[in-house]
Structures are given as C-alpha cells and as structure tokens.
Amino acid sequence: MDLEFNKNEDANKQLVYQLEGKLKKVHLGGGEKKIEKHHSKGKLTARERIDYLTDEGSDFLEIAAFAGDGMYLEHGGCPSAGVVTGIGYVAGKQCVLVANDATVKAGAWFPITAKKNLRAQEIAMENHLPIIYLVDSAGVFLPMQDEIFPDKEHFGRQFRNNAKMSSMGIVQIAAIMGSCVAGGAYLPIMSDEALIVDKTGSIFLAGSYLVKAAIGESVDNETLGGATTHCEISGVTDNKFDNDASCLDYIKNLMDKVGASAQAGFDKKEAKPPKKDPNELYGVFPNSRVKPYDVKDIIERIVDDSELDEYKAEYGKTIVCGTARIEGWAVGIVANQRNVVKTKKGEMQMGGVIYSDSADKAARFIMNCNQRKIPLVFIQDVSGFMVGSHAEHGGIIKDGAKMVNAMANSTVPKFTIVTGNSYGAGNYAMCGKAYDPRLIFSWPNAQMAVMSGASAAKTLLQIKVATEKAKGHEVSKEEEIALLKEITDKYDSELSPYYAASRLWVDGVIDPKDTRRNLAMGIEAANHAPLEKFNVGVIQT
C-alpha cells in the first residue's frame, strides 16, 4: 500500500471512530439513570424490546438513529427523536419496527419525532412490509404543539397512514407497553391487532387529571384505561400480557403465521463476496474532497465478485453506469466519477461534474433498468452540472432535465449513498431525498448543500459587504476576515452529515463497510412490493 492510501485510511477510520462514539451516545437514549428507572418498573427499553423481538443473529437496519441530533437543546434534547425505527426480521419475515423510547421525555412527540414516525410508515408502505409498533409515549410535547399538531405532515398523518396501510393489506401490529395518550391512542387501535401489557400499559383519550378537570370525575389511570379495562370491559385491546417478554413472544407467534406477499420479482443469484477487500474502502477513498479518484475502485469493493458490466464506458465519462450484483441481487449503478477524464475529442472534463454527455448516458441507462426490472443504486459525489457558455450552448439544461425526468419517473426502487459531495442540482439528478429513494445513507465525510463551503462563504461575504456599503459603512480588512470566519463556521456546521441526518435528509450516517449490507436489506425489502408500469413522460432528444 502506498503513502496516500495510508493517509486516506487513517483519516477515514478516524471518522468512523467518531461515528461509533456518536452512536453509542445516541443508543443510551435519555441516559443511564433514566434506563435504570425504566427497568425498575419491570420494563425493557425500546432497543431491548427490538433486540428481544427480532430473530437471534439477524440484522437490524436502524433508520434515522441521528434524528433530532443537536436539536431542542433548550428542552433538554431529543436523542434519536425519542423513537427507535428500522427494518428487522421477526419469525423470518422482514418488518418495519417502531419503538417509542420512554427514557427520552417519557416518549413524548417532538416535531422531528413525527417526521421520523412518518418516515418509518413510508418505508412500510413503499415496500409493502408489515409494521410493528411498540408503544410507550406520553403523547405530543405540549410546548411545541403548534409545530406537530395540525399540518399535513404532522402528528395526525400517521393515523391517515394507518388507514391507508390497512386498505393496502399491510399487516400492522401494535403493543401498548407503557403510556398511550390522547390522539396517540388511535395508532394502536387502528392497527390490525392491539396488545397491552398489564399494569404498565394504559390507553385513553384523556388521563385521570384531565378527566377530573373536564367532567369532575375522580378515577385512577388503571381503572380508566388499563389492561383489564380494555381487554375485559371495553374490548378496545385484544389480549393482555404479564410482562414485556410475553407480549413480544405473542407478536413472534403472530408473525410466524403471516403469509407471503406478492413480489416485484427482482433477479437474485447466490451471493459472492467482493474479490477486492471492502476494508480497503477507507484507503481508496481520498481524505480530501478535491482529490480525484476512480469511483470504480469504490464500486468493486461493494459489488459481488467485484464485477461491474459497464454501460457506454467510453462515453459520458463523468458518470459511471453499469450493472452488477449486491449480495446476489441484480442492481444498476449510477455513480459520479471523480477522476478528471478525457473525451475522444481531446477535451478534459472535471471529475464530479455532470456534463451533457454523462447526463444523456445516465438517462438512457435508467430507462433500460426500468425496462428490465433492475433496482437502481446512486453513488453521489457530485459538485453539480457543468456551467459556462460552452455547456449552455451544448444544451446542458435539456440533457440535465432528461436525466432528472428519467430518474424521477423511475418505478424500480432507487437507493442512494452519499459518499462525498452532494451539491446543488447534482443532489437532485443523483436521486437526493426529494426524489423518493427507498433508502438514502451518507458516509461520515459526506457534505450536502447548495454549494461547497468555500464558495458559499465567499458569496455570502460579498453580499454582506455590499449591504454594509449600501448603508454607508466601508468594511475593513479585519472585519472582512472576522465575517468570513463567522460565515464559514456556520455554513460548515450545516454541511455535516450529522446535520443532514438529524433532519432526516438522509436515513443515517453509516460506516462505508456497511454499504453493501444496507443496500442488500433495502433491495430485499423492496422486492415485497409489485412494480408499477414505467412511464418516463416527455423527454426531449
């Protein structure tokens, strides 16, 4: 290995070490004292419930572990948005799992909690996966009720999704393992089967204090909405259980008898590990976002047997397209090429930039994959589309629109991995969050923004200086330096992949070595949902 490889490896492993440290902190939820208090009530934590429920030795693909990271600090924070979500296996069947974390503000719903729950339901709906809710929540976080209650993508949307999933034939099972209050009570009861744990589970539209205030009735919470009340008197819940474990065992038995769904029919062969060592991803990916590298070195350490059948290899070289397999699943790969490339006309093209020829190639490849029922994987390290008179005269807008049109109308599932830069319209063309990837993850050194930090800071500084000048104030050189630092620091913090993950612009920040596993689980999930007919719409040629 050369010196450059070693430098890259050290830098990228340090980023992964930081990622692992952040995950350990997030996994503690509300902290060790809150976990101890939770255990003292005879309850498992959200993560312990998921671990118990899922098949021993199976993978759990967590979604949005960093949701809420660094947010609501004035309210004490909201680690992992106060809810654990992901895709796991129960009785051998892939399911979406949603477990409220009552160690975080008693499982109360912040705005980001609603967004994360809706994302979990979206994954279940897109992939026709059963969804299991492990409910333990105090309901809406009242100080922020105006940001969570009435809008289209707010709290109430989850109940609409309950109804939609029911009509789609998607299995929904709910276990009330703690509090379930007010509007939140509709979620488990709109599921196919509602279970409740005796003495710790309770469900009601209004608790005892509110009942006393509203109608003057004095009643304790257990009589009002405990397991005995709802299993023997109201019939609201279907079965009660002595503890968390027996309730979760019952869910396993339910899932064991669920029939198979119709499938999309994606091609799968026996999986083969990559010939090139995935551990080398740390060394082949540069520690600087301006250094060129060959994206095929990345692809060959992710795909089966390190084999890529490249499409139009000598044309549109700033995007690499080709078919391969990941854990046996056939995939079409669209990846930004960061190498500086030379065209047959002798022109040099900058790596990471989408040119007219590469956009045209990608559009045609995407259409081919739809024709052949091959899922698409986008590997983003993109600075944007080429600009300037030569590009404009060559029709870059038309060719870019062609690519975006084909990608947006794709009916085969799309998956996106942000490895490095994700700037401007390049984010859109390479299937950013706005274009409905089934899953989207970023590596720890990824950045997502309208433009790079350096370009944005200089642009914002020029605007600020011009504004001050218009007010009659000439900005000194020292003030310019201070302003530039202030602007750069703020912008750089917003470029962080954790900033994107906290707001659910991506489904998570992952170790590059986990890319192959995550994509395989996502494609397996997507295979549960039959495909719609591909209709690309109007594309200019």
Side-chain angles (χ1 to χ4, degrees), residues 369-437:
C369 286
N370 274 271
Q371 189 77 3
R372 299 164 192 170
K373 294 210 306 189
I374 301 174
L376 286 160
V377 174
F378 292 83
I379 300 176
Q380 282 196 17
D381 191 353
V382 59
S383 303
F385 284 89
M386 190 57 193
V387 296
S389 60
H390 183 71
E392 298 293 358
H393 296 170
I396 185 67
I397 296 174
K398 178 187 71 176
D399 290 316
K402 187 190 304 182
M403 179 180 174
V404 171
N405 196 327
M407 182 273 301
N409 282 296
S410 174
T411 56
V412 295
K414 299 168 292 193
F415 301 88
T416 303
I417 305 293
V418 186
T419 59
N421 302 331
S422 180
Y423 298 150
N427 169 277
Y428 300 158
M430 292 294 294
C431 195
K433 185 64 182 288
Y435 291 85
D436 300 319

Side-chain angles (χ1 to χ4, degrees), residues 444-463:
N445 52 352
Q447 289 189 350
M448 193 177 295
V450 171
M451 62 182 74
S452 71
S455 298
K458 288 174 185 175
T459 303
L460 291 167
L461 177 65
Q462 290 170 4
I463 294 169

Side-chain angles (χ1 to χ4, degrees), residues 81 83 100 107-119 121 133 135 137-142 144-162 179-188 190 204-205:
V83 62
N100 299 112
W109 286 58
F110 286 74
I112 195 67
T113 314
K115 188 172 183 180
K116 183 171 175 177
N117 273 268
L118 292 175
R119 175 61 177 143
Q121 289 184 321
Y133 308 99
V135 183
S137 172
V140 168
F141 184 64
L142 288 176
M144 303 187 76
Q145 63 85 28
D146 62 318
E147 296 180 45
I148 186 174
F149 172 64
D151 209 348
K152 181 178 179 180
E153 299 294 332
H154 281 181
F155 188 69
R157 185 78 171 182
Q158 66 177 332
F159 314 130
R160 173 264 188 195
N161 288 349
N162 280 140
S179 296
C180 186
V181 185
Y186 288 106
L187 184 142
M190 292 185 73
F204 33 65
L205 294 180

Side-chain angles (χ1 to χ4, degrees), residues 464 466-473:
K464 181 72 173 175
T467 302
E468 291 298 314
K469 190 173 183 179
K471 294 177 182 176
H473 173 60

Side-chain angles (χ1 to χ4, degrees), residues 29-31 34 72-79 81-82 101-110 113 136-143:
K34 290 286 179 68
Y72 316 121
L73 298 182
E74 69 278 19
H75 298 295
C78 187
D101 186 351
T103 70
V104 179
K105 287 284 189 293
W109 286 58
F110 286 74
T113 314
D136 194 346
S137 172
V140 168
F141 184 64
L142 288 176

Side-chain angles (χ1 to χ4, degrees), residues 45 64 95 107 114 119 134 172 186 229 234 237 262 277 320 366 372 424 437 451 472 488 510:
T45 65
C95 306
R119 175 61 177 143
L134 307 179
Q172 299 179 82
Y186 288 106
T229 294
S234 72
T237 52
D277 188 355
V320 171
I366 289 166
R372 299 164 192 170
M451 62 182 74
T488 301
I510 63 169

